[in-house]
């Protein structure tokens, strides 16, 4: 917590995206989660709606510039850490 306070004490406001710095498709994300939890995720694709976002990529340049932050945890490792935390605290 102290580290986060120190980082954000220099923050000048506005929106900052935190992410891996590279694009990940929904199918890739599902595959990673399935491999971490060691079970298939049941889902279905619905018909496209005109207002659905087809592609999104979060620009992390402001996090780098304002917070001197760079991604250091690979996506799979981060998901693994979240799943372990949830299993410990929420009996998944």
């Amino acid at each position: 917590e102290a580290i986060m306070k120190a980082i954000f004490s220099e923050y000048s406001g506005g929106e900052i995206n935190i992410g891996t710095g590279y694009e990940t498709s929904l199918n890739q994300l599902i595959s990673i989660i399935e491999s971490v939890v060691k079970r298939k995720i049941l889902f279905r694709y619905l018909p496209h709606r005109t207002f659905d976002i087809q592609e999104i990529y979060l620009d992390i340049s402001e996090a780098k510039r304002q917070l001197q932050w760079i991604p250091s945890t690979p996506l799979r490792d981060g998901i693994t850490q979240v799943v372990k935390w949830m299993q410990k605290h929420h009996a998944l």
Side-chain angles (χ1 to χ4, degrees):
E1 185 177 327
I3 293 172
M4 292 306 290
K5 285 181 182 176
I7 289 172
F8 284 103
S9 68
E10 300 297 319
Y11 174 56
S12 64
E15 294 179 7
I16 292 183
N17 295 315
I18 302 294
T20 61
Y22 60 89
E23 185 177 339
T24 304
S25 73
L26 181 58
N27 288 335
Q28 290 170 314
L29 188 59
I30 290 169
S31 178
I32 292 169
I33 294 169
E34 286 177 336
S35 69
V36 169
V37 298
K38 296 178 176 56
R39 61 181 155 197
K40 292 299 273 178
I41 295 173
L42 300 176
F43 65 94
R44 64 186 170 117
Y45 292 99
L46 298 175
H48 170 70
R49 300 170 297 184
T50 56
F51 56 85
D52 285 337
I53 298 171
Q54 292 301 301
E55 208 171 283
I56 188 169
Y57 174 79
L58 299 178
D59 179 0
I60 63 170
S61 61
E62 282 299 302
K64 290 178 179 179
R65 186 177 71 74
Q66 291 198 44
L67 305 176
Q68 291 73 53
W69 178 86
I70 56 167
S72 60
T73 303
L75 182 59
R76 180 184 172 80
D77 294 351
I79 290 172
T80 300
Q81 291 172 21
V82 169
V83 167
K84 285 181 180 179
W85 185 91
M86 296 209 46
Q87 288 170 334
K88 180 179 178 181
H89 292 85
H90 298 288
L92 292 180

